[in-house]
Amino acid sequence: MEGKKKIFSGMQPSGSLTLGNYLGALKNWVALQDEYDCYYCVVDMHAITVPKEPKDLRKNTYEVLANYIAAGLDPDKVTLFIQSHVSAHAELSWILNCFSYYGELGRMTQFKDKSKKQDSNAITAGLFTYPVLMAADILLYQADLVPVGEDQRQHLEITRDIAQRFNNRFSETFTVPEPYISTDVAKIMSLQDPESKMSKSDTNENAYILLTDKPDAIRRKFKRSVTDSLGVVNYSDDQPGIKNLINIYSKITNIKPETVASNYEGKGYARLKEDVAEVVVEELKPIQERIDYLLKNKDYLEEVYRMGAGKAEATAIKTLRKVQKKVGFIPR
Ligand code: ATP
Ligand code: LTN
């Protein structure tokens, strides 16, 4: 591991993972695992920033971990762990809260979007300071790169600002991380509203494809996907629904979006929808088999997350101790 650059990333167990999580982030994680020293986390502490049933959180946490492994992450190569198992995340987060400003947090678009969806009396302080916990996640591991989807770019910027502010106030403490966002298709959109991203916490289940959706459900959801009334397949911002279907097809087959569009010239939307559904079904088939197997082997998953927490903690504690010393805390 010595000498390899470090990567940190995470996903919330706010539901089962979607095709957006997979194509926008998880596939990149797998591609990077040989070249980098990777820490991949299930961020359960982030998931409770909005109301969550304890039994759902437990179930989703196992599922997300199983999804990581099933998608191709190798627990012997990367560190896979659960955020709440390494208490340094909470501890650093508090300190960084004291170096983050109300104004900058209020400008976060994810906070604005998510708080709009909540009753105004139910917007928690945790939802507001969510990006600070994310900064703590990343900075604890001195990560060089953070592979995420486009929607997380602003959170990476605030992480960089917090790191630089701390380094300037004290001395070099944190590596200032770079986002790693695939430039081709960084955002998979909702199948029901192609202007907003596909999200696992959407209330309409037709809006997303879960990695665990059965072939029939996948076909049905694509068939019902919202497009437009133009009736001509083009790869254009004026046709966001069609563009999204082409992007999904392109991401899976590695065929350029423009080529996909010209292959469907004059063929109609129904055919495109059917074919996209088929490539998705095929791509997910082996992953689903592995997910089923892993979820029946909880002992194995427990072994993976325990080993991961041990490795993660050993790295995290070094940064935490340094930070505590710099701010003036007396060691016990
Ligand atoms: P939630 O709906 O609960 O906010 P989410 O589906 O947005 O969750 P996260 O756990 O917040 O998922 O994100 C995990 C990773 O997946 C992040 O790197 C994020 O950028 C990426 N991601 C999520 N949705 C998409 C999408 N539709 N397209 C591309 N990448 C995505
Ligand atoms: N906010 C992220 C999830 C997340 C994360 C992280 C991603 C929490 N901590 C650290 C990268 C690095 C999201 O995807 N919504």
Side-chain angles (χ1 to χ4, degrees):
M1 288 301 162
E2 276 320 298
K4 278 190 179 175
K5 287 201 166 189
K6 290 214 183 88
I7 281 193
F8 184 95
S9 201
M11 295 201 191
Q12 301 180 71
S14 45
S16 242
L17 296 188
T18 68
L19 193 62
N21 298 132
Y22 175 66
L23 296 178
L26 191 50
K27 257 192 129 169
N28 275 340
W29 295 10
V30 176
L32 294 163
Q33 69 180 338
D34 290 317
E35 244 180 283
Y36 293 86
D37 180 12
C38 302
Y39 293 82
Y40 294 131
C41 185
V42 183
V43 291
D44 54 349
M45 288 156 69
H46 278 105
I48 63 163
T49 54
V50 293
K52 203 89 201 95
E53 278 302 319
K55 71 171 185 348
D56 294 339
L57 182 61
R58 267 190 292 273
K59 179 170 168 279
N60 293 332
T61 302
Y62 275 109
E63 275 187 23
V64 172
L65 185 66
N67 283 207
Y68 283 0
I69 301 169
L73 292 177
D74 178 349
D76 291 327
K77 285 186 191 158
V78 302
T79 304
L80 294 178
F81 70 106
I82 297 171
Q83 187 185 32
S84 63
H85 289 180
V86 180
S87 58
H89 291 248
E91 294 177 75
L92 181 62
S93 179
W94 176 257
I95 296 175
L96 296 182
N97 266 322
C98 303
F99 292 87
S100 305
Y101 297 113
Y102 181 80
E104 63 185 351
L105 290 171
R107 285 193 292 275
M108 294 292 115
T109 52
Q110 183 176 300
F111 171 70
K112 288 194 256 182
D113 289 348
K114 289 206 173 179
S115 50
K116 255 186 247 152
K117 290 184 193 157
Q118 305 285 322
D119 177 339
S120 61
N121 296 318
I123 302 167
T124 66
L127 188 64
F128 188 65
T129 63
Y130 174 117
V132 184
L133 176 59
M134 178 161 163
D137 295 342
I138 297 167
L139 300 178
L140 272 177
Y141 300 90
Q142 308 287 356
D144 299 281
L145 274 190
V146 184
V148 282
E150 180 61 39
D151 61 302
Q152 294 300 310
R153 190 183 288 280
Q154 201 186 23
H155 287 162
L156 254 291
E157 266 153 28
I158 198 172
T159 299
R160 290 169 56 86
D161 290 344
I162 295 170
Q164 275 157 349
R165 190 175 299 147
F166 195 96
N167 288 349
N168 290 339
R169 167 73 179 79
F170 300 99
S171 54
E172 271 319 294
T173 311
F174 298 123
T175 302
V176 181
E178 299 281 345
Y180 181 93
I181 299 173
S182 59
T183 45
D184 48 353
V185 181
K187 206 167 179 183
I188 303 298
M189 309 310 278
S190 154
L191 299 184
Q192 290 299 311
D193 169 16
E195 305 283 355
S196 58
K197 76 161 189 165
M198 183 182 284
S199 167
K200 58 175 127 69
S201 47
D202 203 308
T203 46
N204 180 353
E205 63 169 34
N206 287 321
Y208 51 71
I209 303 286
L210 297 179
L211 296 192
T212 50
D213 274 345
K214 297 272 177 288
D216 284 351
I218 297 175
R219 294 188 185 106
R220 191 185 63 240
K221 289 180 181 181
F222 276 112
K223 201 168 179 180
R224 289 189 188 159
S225 67
V226 170
T227 51
D228 54 67
S229 54
L230 294 174
V232 187
V233 176
N234 277 310
Y235 189 65
S236 148
D237 288 338
D238 298 335
Q239 293 178 259
I242 293 295
K243 184 174 181 183
N244 189 38
L245 293 179
I246 295 175
N247 279 339
I248 293 171
Y249 191 100
S250 163
K251 263 294 224 195
I252 293 177
T253 59
N254 286 321
I255 302 173
K256 282 205 178 72
E258 292 75 12
T259 313
V260 177
S262 68
N263 289 346
Y264 281 88
E265 231 177 79
K267 283 194 185 150
Y269 293 173
R271 179 70 193 281
L272 175 65
K273 288 179 176 181
E274 280 166 23
D275 291 356
V276 175
E278 283 326 301
V279 297
V280 171
V281 166
E282 282 310 306
E283 174 85 3
L284 297 187
K285 207 159 128 196
I287 299 179
Q288 298 189 338
E289 283 167 9
R290 288 194 289 267
I291 293 174
D292 287 346
Y293 175 80
L294 288 162
L295 289 176
K296 285 189 198 116
N297 286 278
K298 290 250 170 75
D299 290 354
Y300 172 70
L301 292 176
E302 282 163 14
E303 198 183 305
V304 167
Y305 70 59
R306 285 209 186 99
M307 186 175 76
K311 284 202 276 177
E313 185 147 57
T315 308
I317 202 87
K318 288 188 198 144
T319 305
L320 181 67
R321 294 288 176 256
K322 226 197 272 182
V323 169
Q324 288 171 325
K325 188 166 171 209
K326 290 200 184 191
V327 299
F329 292 171
I330 295 171
R332 197 167 70 169

